[in-house]
Amino acid sequence: MNNAENFMQNKQLSEQAANQPVQPLQQLLTRPDIWQLASRQQQPRTGISTGYRGLDALLANHGWPRGASTELLVDKAGIGEITLILPALAEMTRQNRMVILINPPHIPYAPALAQAGVQLEKLLLLHPRGQRDQLWAAEQALQSGACGALVSWQGKDVLADKDLRRLQLAAREGDCLHFHFRPGSSANTPSPAALRLQLHSDGEQLALQLLKQLNGKSGQRLHLARNPDLTRRDQPLH
């Protein structure tokens, strides 16, 4: 085929394409043969039940967001805040998945955890030194795919937004629940976390305020009963 024939064939193909009806963008995006990476990444994931009906009803996915960071803001550790996430941790161990605690401020009380259904052989405590090592350990565990839930505690050091985003991304990559306890003062600064709750002690109950949730309402308040055994400190883990 010479250059003239090739030119005429390309011209005919161009004219045929020009005569085809133009499909609207939205119509193209709905075609099953077109794969959209962005849409797949934005698809909502089913939540993991918190174990509290009242809280599940307030959350967008009717539970803790899977593959995302949940920030729990508390001014003082030891008010029974671990009670809030205990049902989810127990469920992860029942699914034969590891639960990792990184630098908890107090050693968890093993009998209370076992009574709540946590399989202690699936529980791992890590104590990395320094913020840099702690972030590295958390990121590696979150994105490993072998961890069902990771609980981390932020100390007095301020975390940069880029570090919070790294943890959020790692949780998504590993489809892992990430519970991040941070100081109550962190409520004044923005965060990439999918869910943020402020926690306070109110007598025999744990008071919650929903500060932020992805694809859901915020501002609601709730009171939950707490396990008094889990307010005890410095208990040995057997």
Side-chain angles (χ1 to χ4, degrees), residues 40-50 56 59-70 88 91-93 95 97-98 142 145-150 167-179 192-195 213-215:
R40 285 180 60 88
Q41 291 177 339
Q42 294 173 3
Q43 290 177 355
R45 306 185 183 193
T46 304
I48 300 295
S49 175
T50 66
D56 283 349
L59 299 179
N61 293 324
H62 304 290
W64 300 118
R66 186 197 296 269
S69 291
T70 292
E91 176 60 26
M92 288 297 101
T93 62
Q95 293 181 14
R97 302 191 68 186
M98 290 296 301
L142 287 169
C147 180
L150 183 139
L167 296 177
Q168 168 74 8
L169 179 59
R172 185 170 188 85
E173 289 178 352
D175 194 28
C176 182
L177 290 172
H178 178 213
F179 298 106
L195 177 65
Q213 68 168 325
L214 191 64
N215 300 322

Side-chain angles (χ1 to χ4, degrees), residues 144-156:
S144 68
C147 180
L150 183 139
V151 188
S152 56
W153 283 262
Q154 177 181 329
K156 297 180 180 180

Side-chain angles (χ1 to χ4, degrees), residues 21-221:
V22 178
Q23 292 181 285
L25 177 60
Q26 191 60 38
Q27 185 177 346
L28 288 172
L29 294 178
T30 59
R31 284 174 48 178
D33 58 330
I34 296 181
W35 187 75
Q36 303 174 58
L37 175 62
S39 294
R40 285 180 60 88
Q41 291 177 339
Q42 294 173 3
Q43 290 177 355
R45 306 185 183 193
T46 304
I48 300 295
S49 175
T50 66
Y52 299 92
R53 291 182 181 180
L55 183 55
D56 283 349
L58 295 180
L59 299 179
N61 293 324
H62 304 290
W64 300 118
R66 186 197 296 269
S69 291
T70 292
E71 290 187 358
L72 304 170
L73 311 184
V74 57
D75 290 320
K76 185 179 181 181
I79 62 172
E81 66 277 7
I82 198 73
T83 300
L84 187 61
I85 61 175
L86 202 53
L89 301 186
E91 176 60 26
M92 288 297 101
T93 62
R94 282 193 292 268
Q95 293 181 14
N96 205 33
R97 302 191 68 186
M98 290 296 301
V99 170
I100 299 177
L101 310 183
I102 297 184
N103 283 343
H106 309 289
I107 300 177
Y109 186 49
L113 296 181
Q115 186 178 6
V118 176
Q119 299 178 17
L120 299 182
E121 64 273 15
K122 294 296 180 182
L123 188 65
L124 177 64
L125 271 66
L126 298 180
H127 296 278
R129 296 181 179 180
Q131 185 185 83
R132 183 175 179 179
D133 288 347
Q134 181 173 341
L135 286 171
W136 182 87
E139 186 176 19
Q140 294 299 309
L142 287 169
Q143 66 187 11
S144 68
C147 180
L150 183 139
V151 188
S152 56
W153 283 262
Q154 177 181 329
K156 297 180 180 180
D157 297 330
V158 177
L159 287 179
D161 181 76
K162 65 177 182 178
D163 293 327
L164 297 174
R165 292 186 182 279
R166 282 173 53 190
L167 296 177
Q168 168 74 8
L169 179 59
R172 185 170 188 85
E173 289 178 352
D175 194 28
C176 182
L177 290 172
H178 178 213
F179 298 106
H180 192 184
F181 285 100
R182 302 185 65 196
S185 58
S186 301
N188 299 323
T189 58
S191 168
L195 177 65
R196 304 185 87 190
L197 295 174
Q198 185 106 41
L199 311 181
H200 298 284
S201 176
D202 188 2
E204 297 300 319
Q205 294 184 316
L206 194 63
L208 283 67
Q209 182 179 5
L210 206 164
L211 300 179
K212 169 196 172 182
Q213 68 168 325
L214 191 64
N215 300 322
K217 296 180 180 179
S218 60
Q220 305 95 315
R221 297 176 183 269

